[in-house]
Amino acid sequence: MLWKGLPMLICATCAVERDQPVPDICPICADERQYVPEDGQQWLTLDELARTGRQTVLEQNEPGLFAVRTEPKVGIGQTAQLVVTPAGSLLWDPVGYVDDSGVESVLDHGSVIAIAASHPHMFGVQVEWSRRLGNVPVLVAEADRQWLGRSGPNVDYWSGTAAIADGLVLHQVGGHFPGSAVVHWAAGSNGKGVLLTGDSVFPNPDRRTVAFMRSYPNRLPLSGAVALRIAAQLEELEFDRIYGNFNNAIHSGAKDVLHRSAQRHAAWTRGDFDHLT
């Protein structure tokens, strides 16, 4: 339900929008994958955020793909990705802030045909982005429906796979959340293919491996079996590059990196390397 006459509020910690009246504690942050700060819950409005001088910044990662971030960051501070195709654009992992100049910058690259997030931590202010971009569909994994904090007529639920445009497809892989998803963009990386992965498959700082975690801030790993399952699910796709949700990337050979990382993760969780500890 949309509460008429009441502004939506944004959790200061995860930057996910929520209809009023809001709960005492953000359910997303109270879950074991996230956290409530020691100084307690705080709810913000877009007007309050705007008064702090925030702005939306777009930078090109490669032809047809633009990183979208908020400066200074809001909440988790993810970097969204704008995938531009001849049929229209996908806004992926939308940030927790939106203003008129940000909307204009996004629309400078063409109309947006869908908004989607890899998982609930990345919902941001997705319904508000939709409203300002012309009420475009917001795609939410059915398996993660319970975490949706703000509803609306443009929210559509999906499972398994969902085609956004030709060569641009959502794939539900689970792991971090049951509905965790990736985007396969076939035209990316000069036609070699790109995966946008959120936290499902997380490019590590070494730029040679990826991680598989239930919680990143609280250091909860997924099992080896789940890591191998995710890798197997993505084996059928062709891709050479991976972008995570902070613009962290594996720039080449990403499919092999994913396979080797899943094997390494499974080996560590089996205890194969306990002699090193």
Side-chain angles (χ1 to χ4, degrees):
M1 179 184 297
L2 288 171
W3 294 79
K4 304 299 183 182
L6 292 174
M8 62 89 175
L9 296 180
I10 304 165
C11 173
T13 304
C14 68
V16 172
E17 65 189 348
R18 189 162 288 273
D19 290 332
Q20 290 204 56
V22 296
D24 291 337
I25 299 295
C26 171
I28 289 176
C29 292
D31 177 70
E32 69 176 0
R33 283 161 285 206
Q34 184 56 16
Y35 60 90
V36 177
E38 188 174 0
D39 56 359
Q41 177 72 57
Q42 183 180 4
W43 297 103
L44 304 169
T45 67
L46 280 176
D47 286 344
E48 288 171 336
L49 290 171
R51 287 196 292 270
T52 62
R54 282 177 166 82
Q55 59 181 338
T56 305
V57 178
L58 270 70
E59 293 180 346
Q60 188 177 58
N61 279 327
E62 59 180 82
L65 185 67
F66 295 84
V68 183
R69 68 179 188 276
T70 302
E71 293 183 351
K73 76 178 183 70
V74 181
I76 293 172
Q78 70 263 31
T79 299
Q81 301 290 340
L82 183 71
V83 188
V84 180
T85 79
S89 302
L90 167 69
L91 181 61
W92 172 251
D93 280 349
V95 294
Y97 177 74
V98 58
D99 57 15
D100 290 342
S101 64
V103 169
E104 291 174 6
S105 296
V106 167
L107 292 178
D108 281 345
H109 301 286
S111 62
V112 174
I113 55 175
I115 297 170
S118 57
H119 64 288
H121 293 148
M122 300 291 108
F123 282 167
V125 292
Q126 58 185 2
V127 173
E128 189 64 21
W129 272 104
S130 168
R131 188 181 72 81
R132 298 194 185 203
L133 289 168
N135 297 315
V136 302
V138 176
L139 305 180
V140 175
E142 176 66 41
D144 293 336
R145 178 193 284 254
Q146 72 186 87
W147 300 104
L148 188 65
R150 189 182 184 202
S151 58
N154 303 313
V155 174
D156 295 329
Y157 297 97
W158 68 281
S159 296
T161 60
I164 306 298
D166 186 33
L168 187 65
V169 181
L170 292 173
H171 295 266
Q172 181 182 348
V173 296
H176 184 55
F177 276 79
S180 283
V182 303
V183 175
H184 182 237
W185 178 37
S189 189
N190 295 314
K192 297 177 182 178
V194 161
L195 278 185
L196 308 179
T197 59
D199 281 353
S200 302
V201 175
F202 190 87
N204 287 325
D206 63 9
R207 302 176 302 285
R208 301 189 304 272
T209 61
V210 297
F212 307 87
M213 299 286 282
R214 176 169 173 81
S215 171
Y216 288 86
N218 298 324
R219 309 297 192 268
L220 289 173
L222 294 171
S223 72
V226 170
L228 292 172
R229 187 198 76 200
I230 292 171
Q233 286 177 263
L234 298 174
E235 183 63 29
E236 66 184 61
L237 304 178
E238 293 301 322
F239 57 93
D240 188 55
R241 189 169 295 162
I242 292 174
Y243 291 93
N245 50 356
F246 296 93
N247 222 36
N248 46 327
I250 305 295
H251 289 288
S252 63
K255 190 168 184 177
D256 183 56
V257 166
L258 173 62
H259 175 76
R260 287 188 287 104
S261 296
Q263 294 290 334
R264 183 183 75 158
H265 184 102
W268 271 99
T269 57
R270 278 195 307 265
D272 291 6
F273 300 118
D274 283 0
H275 62 284
L276 299 176
T277 65

